[in-house]
């Protein structure tokens, strides 16, 4: 695994944008696996800046997001579709028809998940998957478990995740309790994986995930088995790793 240490969140975001920009430049019709949350906001801002400067062209890019809350519409400002539109897609020249997020309004979980797996297959898999890291080691919404779930599935979010996400909602009760998420196999099938992490609060989980045993109790630990993972993190997030 390639680890890049940066001074702070802004530098992390610039380095991550460099990495994604290189992918888009080298393969203009690439498939990007994208994430939501606080970690990638700066990276998306940097990609927008480069697009506006004329340095990047997203017209042939396809994107496949990791996850979506079950029950939220694309217009709901807490949905991940809304997040992606407002934080990235509305500001670049990506064709929105080629941007995929699980359908939060599909109540039939089996159908929602099978449809999403079909999308991933139809797109030919993911060239570069961007990931944040949950406080409990989740990636996408693959929560600590006794197995690594393979494909897109519906998850009951853990209390830890609901608490962490409550900051975006008016109250804890408003945080959806279920989500659709891409599975571990789909993430692991990506040709390259880029993980971005920032802040002291993630230092212990970074250590557990990248230097501890590979276990479904720490879903991100499976990334140790992937041949092409780059971790870009600020010095606080890496403070418990000795290198
Ligand atoms: C978001 C996602 C989650 C987040 C993780 C970290 O699409 O899949 O796994 O990446 O919860 O969230 P932040 O970046 O807000 O700390």
């Amino acid at each position: 695994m390639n680890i890049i240490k940066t001074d702070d969140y802004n530098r992390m975001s610039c380095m991550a944008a460099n990495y994604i920009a290189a992918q888009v430049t080298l393969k203009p019709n690439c498939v990007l696996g994208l994430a939501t949350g606080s970690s990638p906001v700066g990276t998306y801002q940097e990609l927008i800046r480069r697009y506006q400067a004329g340095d990047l062209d997203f017209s042939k890019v396809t994107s496949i997001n990791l996850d979506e809350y079950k029950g939220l519409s694309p217009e709901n400002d807490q949905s991940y579709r809304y997040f992606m539109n407002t934080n990235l897609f509305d500001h670049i020249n990506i064709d929105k028809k080629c941007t995929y997020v699980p359908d939060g309004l599909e109540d039939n979980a089996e159908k929602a998940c099978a449809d999403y797996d079909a999308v991933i297959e139809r797109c030919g898999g993911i060239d570069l998957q961007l990931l944040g890291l949950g406080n409990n080691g989740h990636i996408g919404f693959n929560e600590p478990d006794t197995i690594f779930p393979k494909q897109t599935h519906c998850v009951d979010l853990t209390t830890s995740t609901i608490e962490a996400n409550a900051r975006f909602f008016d109250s804890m009760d408003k945080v959806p309790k279920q989500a659709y998420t891409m599975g571990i196999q789909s993430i692991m099938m990506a040709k390259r994986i880029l993980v971005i992490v920032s802040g002291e609060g993630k230092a212990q989980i970074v250590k557990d995930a990248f230097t501890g045993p590979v276990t479904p109790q720490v879903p991100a630990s499976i990334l140790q088995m992937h041949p092409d993972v780059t971790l870009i993190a600020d010095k606080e997030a890496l403070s418990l790793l000795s290198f």
Side-chain angles (χ1 to χ4, degrees), residues 20 24 30-37 40 43-44 47 58 61-68 80 83-85 87-89 92 94 98-102 116 126 128-132 140 182 187 194:
I20 296 168
V24 172
C30 64
V31 178
L32 297 178
L34 297 178
T36 60
T43 304
Y44 294 155
L47 290 173
F58 291 90
V61 169
T62 296
S63 72
I64 304 182
N65 259 78
L66 283 165
D67 40 19
E68 178 61 285
Y80 285 177
F83 174 101
M84 289 309 301
N85 285 347
N87 281 283
L88 184 62
F89 301 151
I92 58 174
I94 196 164
C98 298
T99 65
Y100 297 96
V101 179
Y116 209 59
I126 294 164
L128 170 60
Q129 177 66 56
L130 176 66
L131 294 175
M182 204 187 269
I187 294 172
L194 171 60

Side-chain angles (χ1 to χ4, degrees), residues 35-40 66-67 80 132-134 138-141 167 202:
T36 60
S38 314
S39 306
L66 283 165
D67 40 19
Y80 285 177
L133 178 64
H138 71 225
I139 45 176
F141 272 135
R167 67 191 194 276
K202 297 268 176 84

Side-chain angles (χ1 to χ4, degrees), residues 7-22:
D7 274 346
D8 55 24
Y9 178 89
N10 287 343
R11 289 302 305 157
M12 176 196 81
S13 302
C14 283
M15 295 295 277
N18 286 348
Y19 197 93
I20 296 168

Side-chain angles (χ1 to χ4, degrees), residues 1-3 19 23 31 33 125-131 139 148 182-195 209-210 212 214-215 218-231:
M1 185 172 49
N2 183 20
I3 302 180
Y19 197 93
Q23 173 70 68
V31 178
I126 294 164
D127 290 298
L128 170 60
Q129 177 66 56
L130 176 66
L131 294 175
I139 45 176
F148 289 110
M182 204 187 269
I184 294 288
Q185 179 173 295
S186 311
I187 294 172
M188 289 295 282
M189 295 279 285
K191 293 193 186 92
R192 303 158 80 202
I193 294 180
L194 171 60
V195 191
F210 297 109
V214 174
T215 163
V218 182
S221 64
I222 192 81
L223 299 175
Q224 294 178 42
M225 315 289 283
H226 191 283
D228 192 341
V229 175
T230 296
L231 168 64

